Amino acid sequence: MSTLTSPAADSLTIMSNESRPMSAGAGSGAPSTVVELNAYDVPVTMKDALQPRDIAPPITTPKTHIIFEVLAELLGTAVFVGFGTGANCQYAVGNGGQFMSFSTVPVGWGVGLALGNAFAARFSGGHLNPAVTLMLVLIGQVPAWKLPIYYITQVLGALAGAAITYGVYYHNIFVYDPGHTLERTAGLFGTLPAMDMPAFSCWLAEFFPSCVLIFTILYIVTLKPNPPFPVVPLALPKVLFLTILGVGCTFGSTTSFSMNPARDLGPRLLTWMAGYGKEVWNYKNQYWLWGGQLGAFSAAVFVSLGFHAFTWLERHLLDDRRGSTFLRIFNPLPQ
């Protein structure tokens, strides 16, 4: 760790991520302000846990940070949901039946999430999911005031992505389902589990995969320099792709593996606006609320509580505090 102290009245101490000597001028005696540099020696001005440290952050003022973050979440979520709902429509109503394989659906959702996260990561961290934002708020990595802003932005991005897909496949949908019925094509956008599926199974099919996804993101966020697999600048998008692919191939048929309140609510708004009627909200005793929203949000709370419980156990029950993974990251001990 190196320092650079400027001779100005309010001296500036810069901590570089690379351990090479840096010096300039003599210190003044005034209090120093510590600024962290990334690998490009650019000050790290945004403290999102998901933002990659090896990509230079944008040079913006604090007032414009949230604007760029909102635009990044909007674009990233639109790409994610556009690819995912496009995979749904291609599988169900695509011409010729050459894509009549469900395996293309999780691949489409996985690629969409990976690309959306990669596009948004530099500015916002690429959450693309209100449940992920909630988890990061609960573990103290994102300020709470950003949660409603990100939530609204992610829903609007999901609506935009679903609207693009609807525009592309409108003719195919009309030919396949002229009456725009709930049973045939509404589920290509919002998630609609079968009416005879038990409510607990539907909730569990959202809760458990959401726990897997959110814990995977938490694990990547808290990685040490020597993880069990290679970590490169695009590690998170790759892991997200594999996670979505695995979930879609194992738990995808019950509720269409939403795991994301925005991914369900945005496309559901699209179907309501496209004339599918109010039944998109009333279906299965308001499934959109207790399944589409609370399934993933409850997983975020569960994973966050588990994180805090594990941290507490490390603090109070383990003797070798220097070996503590979470403590060294969030509360490093003096060496």
Side-chain angles (χ1 to χ4, degrees):
M1 192 70 70
S2 59
T3 60
L4 170 61
T5 307
S6 69
D10 290 330
S11 60
L12 181 68
T13 302
I14 305 234
M15 299 165 52
S16 175
N17 287 336
E18 299 183 9
S19 57
R20 61 177 182 270
M22 299 172 59
S23 61
S28 65
S32 297
T33 302
V34 177
V35 177
E36 182 183 354
L37 294 180
N38 67 0
Y40 294 88
D41 287 339
V42 176
V44 177
T45 57
M46 297 189 296
K47 293 295 185 180
D48 193 304
L50 297 186
Q51 187 179 1
R53 296 295 179 172
D54 49 0
I55 298 178
I59 307 301
T60 59
T61 65
K63 291 183 179 180
T64 58
H65 282 174
I66 190 62
I67 297 175
F68 282 99
E69 292 173 28
V70 164
L71 291 176
E73 287 294 309
L74 184 71
L75 173 62
T77 310
V79 169
F80 163 47
V81 175
F83 269 68
T85 53
N88 289 350
C89 290
Q90 182 173 255
Y91 163 63
V93 301
N95 289 328
Q98 62 267 41
F99 297 105
M100 294 297 290
S101 172
F102 181 78
S103 61
T104 62
V105 173
V107 171
W109 282 105
V111 170
L113 182 57
L115 288 177
N117 175 265
F119 290 159
R122 182 186 178 197
F123 292 94
S124 68
H127 301 186
L128 317 185
N129 186 337
V132 171
T133 306
L134 176 61
M135 180 272 291
L136 293 172
V137 168
L138 293 177
I139 69 170
Q141 292 298 298
V142 171
W145 61 267
K146 286 187 178 181
L147 179 59
I149 298 175
Y150 273 40
Y151 178 76
I152 294 172
T153 301
Q154 290 155 356
V155 170
L156 292 177
L159 173 62
I164 292 172
T165 298
Y166 185 77
V168 170
Y169 285 99
Y170 172 78
H171 176 71
N172 302 74
I173 293 172
F174 182 79
V175 170
Y176 180 76
D177 181 22
H180 277 44
T181 61
L182 207 66
E183 295 77 13
R184 303 199 72 185
T185 54
L188 299 177
F189 298 95
T191 57
L192 299 172
M195 285 295 291
D196 59 351
M197 186 65 63
F200 177 75
S201 296
C202 294
W203 174 83
L204 187 61
E206 287 296 320
F207 174 78
F208 176 70
S210 296
C211 284
V212 173
L213 174 65
I214 294 169
F215 180 80
T216 299
I217 293 171
L218 177 61
Y219 178 75
I220 295 294
V221 168
T222 58
L223 276 178
K224 296 306 294 178
N226 297 313
F229 53 86
V231 175
V232 295
L234 293 179
L236 185 56
K238 291 179 179 179
V239 173
L240 290 176
F241 169 77
L242 292 176
T243 304
I244 295 298
L245 181 63
V247 169
C249 290
T250 52
F251 298 99
S253 63
T254 304
T255 60
S256 299
F257 60 105
S258 170
M259 303 181 291
N260 184 330
R263 172 262 177 273
D264 181 75
L265 183 56
R268 195 176 296 271
L269 281 168
L270 184 277
T271 56
W272 176 65
M273 295 165 63
Y276 283 85
K278 64 179 182 180
E279 282 303 310
V280 299
W281 307 109
N282 298 332
Y283 183 82
K284 204 173 176 64
N285 296 319
Q286 289 78 42
Y287 169 80
W288 74 272
L289 180 60
W290 59 264
Q293 301 294 302
L294 296 183
F297 279 136
S298 59
V301 173
F302 178 79
V303 172
S304 302
L305 290 176
F307 168 83
H308 287 295
F310 192 81
T311 305
W312 185 91
L313 289 174
E314 286 195 316
R315 286 182 181 276
H316 295 87
L317 300 182
L318 298 184
D319 294 329
D320 185 11
R321 295 186 65 195
R322 289 186 183 275
S324 167
T325 302
F326 288 145
L327 288 179
R328 282 183 292 148
I329 295 172
F330 295 106
N331 188 22
L333 296 172
Q335 301 296 321

